[in-house]
Amino acid sequence: HEKRLDELQRLRKAAEAKAQQEAEDLLRLRQAKGEEIKETEATIQVNGFVFSTAKILAEIHRKDLLEEAAYYKSHAWKPTKPWPGPSQILSKAA
């Protein structure tokens, strides 16, 4: 029974990770379309999983910062060439 439980937990975690990535993609799409995203939008639901919009936005921001850091690291930390990455379109207004 323990092996089965471990397998079920592994499958659920994988499904949740996939749903979270889809939630990030959906919010990024809204950003790309110029739609305003308010952190006060409580949740986003994907494939039966419910995520905090604020948490997903924070994760998107974290990933963008890591991508920007990798870019500047590959350019010897010299900001002579601006990072061509995404710009955040976030509204923290209520």
Side-chain angles (χ1 to χ4, degrees):
H1 291 313
E2 191 173 318
K3 284 184 182 181
R4 179 68 180 145
L5 179 60
D6 289 343
E7 177 66 10
L8 289 173
Q9 287 176 336
R10 186 188 66 74
L11 290 172
R12 185 187 183 290
K13 285 180 182 179
E16 183 177 16
K18 182 176 185 250
Q20 181 172 333
Q21 182 59 57
E22 288 178 13
E24 290 175 22
D25 291 345
L26 291 170
L27 288 180
R28 282 188 185 272
L29 175 62
R30 287 181 59 192
Q31 290 175 331
K33 288 182 169 185
E35 294 179 23
E36 183 178 24
I37 300 170
K38 296 181 180 177
E39 288 185 5
T40 56
E41 291 178 33
T43 60
I44 182 169
Q45 186 171 350
V46 178
N47 296 332
F49 291 94
V50 178
F51 300 99
S52 157
T53 301
K55 178 184 171 198
I56 296 297
L57 291 172
E59 183 62 17
I60 288 170
H61 183 67
R62 184 187 75 82
K63 287 180 178 180
D64 287 348
L65 287 175
L66 289 172
E67 189 177 315
E68 184 177 8
Y71 173 83
Y72 282 113
K73 183 177 182 180
S74 72
H75 289 85
W77 297 105
K78 294 179 182 171
T80 55
K81 205 173 190 187
W83 181 56
S87 62
Q88 292 288 16
I89 304 168
L90 299 179
S91 173
K92 294 185 181 188

